Amino acid sequence: MIIGVDYHPSFQAIAFFMEETGEYGERELKHSDGEAERFYRDLKLRGIICVRVGMEATGYSRWFERLLAELGFEVWMGDPAEIKAKRVKKQKFDREDARLILRLMRENNFRKFGYRARRIGICDNCCGIVIGWCRCARGS
């Protein structure tokens, strides 16, 4: 399953594609009422284990990255400027951005960058920082 996410602090617009069935859909998931967390946990409960989630890099998504790491889902972070440059329409709409990220991932045209391009793990020892960036995980 591939999911394109346009992430905001209070909600996320998603576009998803199930490679096995060809199912496509779009949704808006609120964070405050737990709807987003339930959606991703439900995927795991339904046995969907191969999940790639693509999104623009943002500093407000730490809880979301932790959730995806806990569920064993792969996170792809993209450069917001590069994604913006690939928009056909220059006006920004959340659902269109989610669709664009999904399309770029399906076409292998989503350039991932940085440590978040791999499966991420969160350090529970010291600080809750993504492993590879915290001191205890590096042994320093």
Side-chain angles (χ1 to χ4, degrees):
M1 177 175 212
I2 305 171
I3 304 173
V5 176
D6 187 41
Y7 186 91
H8 299 270
S10 60
F11 74 97
Q12 56 186 266
I14 67 167
F16 61 88
F17 178 71
M18 295 284 292
E19 295 166 299
E20 299 80 19
T21 64
E23 177 187 353
Y24 172 84
E26 296 178 6
R27 292 186 60 184
E28 190 170 288
L29 306 171
K30 294 179 185 171
H31 299 158
S32 60
D33 64 1
E35 180 182 19
E37 183 172 351
R38 280 191 307 275
F39 173 81
Y40 293 99
R41 288 193 184 280
D42 185 52
L43 293 177
K44 187 75 167 190
L45 289 174
R46 290 177 24 208
I48 303 170
I49 55 172
C50 186
V51 178
R52 283 183 289 155
V53 178
M55 59 191 282
E56 294 178 347
T58 176
Y60 301 102
S61 61
R62 189 165 140 183
W63 75 268
F64 182 53
E65 294 174 49
R66 281 183 167 185
L67 172 66
L68 297 175
E70 175 190 326
L71 297 173
F73 296 165
E74 189 175 357
V75 180
W76 289 16
M77 292 297 220
D79 180 359
E82 283 187 30
I83 294 169
K84 180 180 179 182
K86 293 178 182 179
R87 274 192 211 124
V88 175
K89 297 178 183 177
K90 296 305 174 189
Q91 199 170 13
K92 181 178 176 0
F93 294 102
D94 301 324
R95 286 191 177 213
E96 287 181 13
D97 279 358
R99 274 186 234 131
L100 172 62
I101 292 169
L102 174 64
R103 181 175 58 82
L104 294 174
M105 291 176 72
R106 289 187 63 202
E107 295 172 351
N108 265 342
N109 200 12
F110 185 90
R111 193 167 78 88
K112 345 176 234 194
F113 71 92
Y115 67 94
R116 298 177 194 196
R118 300 181 296 274
R119 286 186 188 264
I120 60 173
I122 305 297
C123 175
D124 292 324
N125 287 343
C126 64
C127 52
I129 295 176
V130 175
I131 290 177
W133 286 86
C134 75
R135 288 189 185 113
C136 68
R138 290 193 315 249
S140 53

